[in-house]
Amino acid sequence: MFKRVVTAAVAAVLIAGLGGCGRGDDVRDEGTGHSAGVGHGSGTGVEESRPAPATTTDASVFGLRDEVRHLAAKTTRATRPHMTRKCTTATRRVKHTTRSGSGTKRRTRTWYSTEPSRSCKQVRSGTETYTRVVRPERWCVSLDDLGGDARRDDVWYQVRRATYDAAVGTHRSARMKFTPTGSGC
């Protein structure tokens, strides 16, 4: 039983790792609305994201808005053991004792009774299908002239949905300042 659980866990980790290496078909280029094919030689001219620079004491970044991307969540159907609660009832014999008196007049009275007992445990009962998230939904914004440095262009950041919506509402090359939730996209 333990070997099956370990094998299933290893398989889940491998599937999740390989699922992140998808083709990138769900990445949309803002300008054309076509699939961007990020980093897979599709010839669309979209540059693969670069790692973010080392952050300073201030967590916010600023620069000129370049492009925005929305990466939809990737999910897959998976199976896992279905666990149910199984209870058994039984009876047990319980000994009761009372003492009275003291010294040589001490008396002990003993009697027995039968009481019900119940024990429950989780047991496997087949399998169940569920939706597993391979990659969570992400919103990304690319900045040019990062921190005022004209040499630092096309730096991608993961942002909150509100920041993404604000970036979509502005024109390209608008100055933006925000606090990213992650680097790269």
Side-chain angles (χ1 to χ4, degrees):
M1 175 78 176
F2 180 73
K3 287 183 180 180
R4 286 184 194 165
V5 172
V6 170
T7 304
V10 169
V13 169
L14 286 174
I15 289 170
L18 293 174
C21 299
R23 290 184 13 220
D25 288 343
D26 56 348
V27 177
R28 309 293 288 177
D29 185 20
E30 175 199 350
T32 63
H34 297 298
S35 176
V38 176
H40 297 286
S42 61
T44 59
V46 177
E47 187 173 323
E48 188 170 354
S49 60
R50 298 178 192 164
T55 57
T56 59
T57 55
D58 185 17
S60 63
V61 294
F62 68 92
L64 303 178
R65 175 198 172 277
D66 188 18
E67 294 190 37
V68 294
R69 266 190 209 150
H70 173 241
L71 294 153
K74 274 192 179 179
T75 60
T76 186
R77 302 293 289 166
T79 58
R80 61 183 169 206
H82 179 69
M83 304 301 280
T84 57
R85 186 175 171 184
K86 183 178 180 182
C87 297
T88 57
T89 57
T91 57
R92 59 189 176 131
R93 193 169 182 205
V94 180
K95 180 179 179 180
H96 305 278
T97 305
T98 60
R99 290 186 170 84
S100 62
S102 63
T104 57
K105 302 217 182 231
R106 181 167 206 131
R107 235 179 66 173
T108 301
R109 180 172 170 253
T110 303
W111 74 96
Y112 295 90
S113 67
T114 303
E115 295 181 0
S117 67
R118 183 175 180 181
S119 64
C120 298
K121 61 182 177 179
Q122 295 283 345
V123 294
R124 182 177 174 168
S125 174
T127 59
E128 62 185 8
T129 304
Y130 71 102
T131 302
R132 184 171 57 85
V133 177
V134 176
R135 180 189 69 205
E137 187 171 24
R138 284 187 264 173
W139 297 276
C140 304
V141 175
S142 171
L143 295 178
D144 286 341
D145 296 345
L146 185 67
D149 186 355
R151 295 172 296 174
R152 297 178 70 190
D153 290 341
D154 297 324
V155 181
W156 285 94
Y157 290 102
Q158 294 176 30
V159 296
R160 290 187 178 85
R161 172 78 187 263
T163 306
Y164 173 82
D165 291 340
V168 169
T170 62
H171 60 84
R172 268 182 110 133
S173 300
R175 183 177 163 86
M176 288 195 71
K177 182 175 182 179
F178 56 83
T179 303
T181 59
S183 61
C185 188

